[in-house]
Amino acid sequence: MSRMSRHGDLNRRKVPAGGPPHAYAQPVLRILDAKSGETVPAVAARRALTRVEAHASGHDLTALRVLLTTDLLLRALELGGTPVLPLLIAHRHQVELHAAATALGIRPFEDGRDLAAGLGEVQVVHVTATGGTLPATGAGLTVAVAPADGPDAGVLGRLADPAALRLALLDAPRGTAVHLGAGALDAAGRRLGRLRQSVAHWARSPSRPVPEKVRGRLRDAWEDDLDVPGVLAVLRWMENQPEIPDGARFETCAYADRLLALDLTRDLGRAS
């Protein structure tokens, strides 16, 4: 199966010549560790509890992008059967960050590390802005998130649909800086609205399973270093495949939305 990821052939590039260890015989999420510069499994071999820490140093678009990346990582891990514990590490603006996370459809965070004591997790993943400083005890993997700028973080309170900001931030690779210029959020909102209308239209047809080739491309994308732009590209590709029935298009979008959390099925049953 051809890959749609920007990273190329995962098996050739990222797995040693001897092949993956037995514990990783099944496809798993692999992620670039900013500390080592290596792409490594983001899951423990036994799929035991994984603690994911979001390190937010302020209340701006970069901090929101850190929270969003953490949310994607949590969702991808859970889709693969890995239990997770999400923690928010922030010395300031905790109330505002929790409120922003809720508005963006981000999983609720716990505060601090004390809750993780004694839980026996064998994997820890830190998510931080590029160049962010981790505590001296910051063992585990580090996922770096490039900065984002544009409207202030208070833009969420002015948006009719905060999912437009979620889509605008999802649409760029995590390691690429994002500038949300004038009109960017309006464009994202229109794009999201069109996709939701298509999903509502497809839902009127008899349900069909997600085609295996489509499911494979989606999993290939998000398991390859959380390539969410690749996931969105698969959805755009699917729309132009006439052999895929509308019922399968609907199920595909519902399946992908378990990761994207864009509320793609929101308009089901609404009058056209």
Side-chain angles (χ1 to χ4, degrees):
M1 177 182 296
S2 63
R3 291 186 58 87
M4 294 194 64
S5 168
R6 64 192 184 280
H7 297 291
D9 186 339
L10 177 62
N11 290 329
R12 184 177 65 245
R13 181 177 183 271
K14 297 181 178 175
V15 177
H22 177 72
Y24 297 113
Q26 297 298 319
V28 296
L29 172 65
R30 298 177 66 83
I31 199 147
L32 178 65
D33 178 18
K35 290 190 295 186
S36 68
E38 299 291 332
T39 302
V40 297
V43 300
R46 298 187 300 278
R47 295 191 185 275
L49 178 67
T50 294
R51 186 170 87 233
V52 184
E53 297 186 358
H55 296 261
S57 59
H59 181 225
D60 54 18
L61 284 185
T62 297
L64 298 189
R65 198 179 190 195
V66 168
L67 299 188
L68 180 55
T69 299
T70 304
D71 184 58
L72 293 168
L73 180 57
L74 293 167
R75 291 173 183 274
L77 288 170
E78 288 191 325
L79 283 167
T82 299
V84 295
L85 173 65
L87 298 181
L88 174 62
I89 311 298
H91 299 297
R92 298 177 298 146
H93 305 296
Q94 289 196 10
V95 172
E96 294 90 342
L97 289 169
H98 280 292
T102 299
L104 282 173
I106 291 171
R107 287 271 308 274
F109 291 100
E110 303 292 347
D111 289 313
R113 297 185 185 80
D114 292 342
L115 289 173
L119 291 178
E121 76 278 353
V122 295
Q123 182 79 296
V124 180
V125 184
H126 304 275
V127 184
T128 185
T130 301
T133 301
L134 295 179
T137 56
L141 307 178
T142 298
V143 176
V145 181
D149 63 52
D152 60 73
V155 70
L156 279 170
R158 304 190 293 272
L159 290 174
D161 185 359
L165 176 58
R166 185 176 177 107
L167 176 58
L169 292 175
L170 289 179
D171 207 23
R174 182 183 72 247
T176 301
V178 171
H179 174 69
L180 299 182
L185 294 182
D186 288 341
R190 290 192 297 271
R191 178 180 167 194
L192 182 57
R194 288 193 296 269
L195 182 54
R196 284 172 173 166
Q197 288 176 2
S198 295
V199 170
H201 171 74
W202 296 331
R204 300 189 185 109
S205 298
S207 179
R208 294 289 186 270
V210 179
E212 281 306 311
K213 67 176 181 180
V214 179
R215 186 189 299 272
R217 291 186 181 209
L218 289 171
R219 295 300 295 245
D220 278 353
W222 80 57
E223 287 170 355
D224 184 8
D225 198 28
L226 282 178
D227 181 13
V228 180
V231 172
L232 293 168
V234 172
L235 296 186
R236 290 193 294 271
W237 167 85
M238 177 200 67
E239 290 188 65
N240 298 314
Q241 303 305 306
E243 74 278 9
I244 299 178
D246 284 353
R249 298 181 203 271
F250 167 77
E251 294 295 346
T252 296
C253 289
Y255 174 68
D257 209 34
R258 296 171 65 186
L259 177 78
L260 301 174
L262 292 170
D263 202 8
L264 296 181
T265 60
R266 190 191 71 174
D267 290 346
L268 266 64
R270 295 189 180 186
S272 302

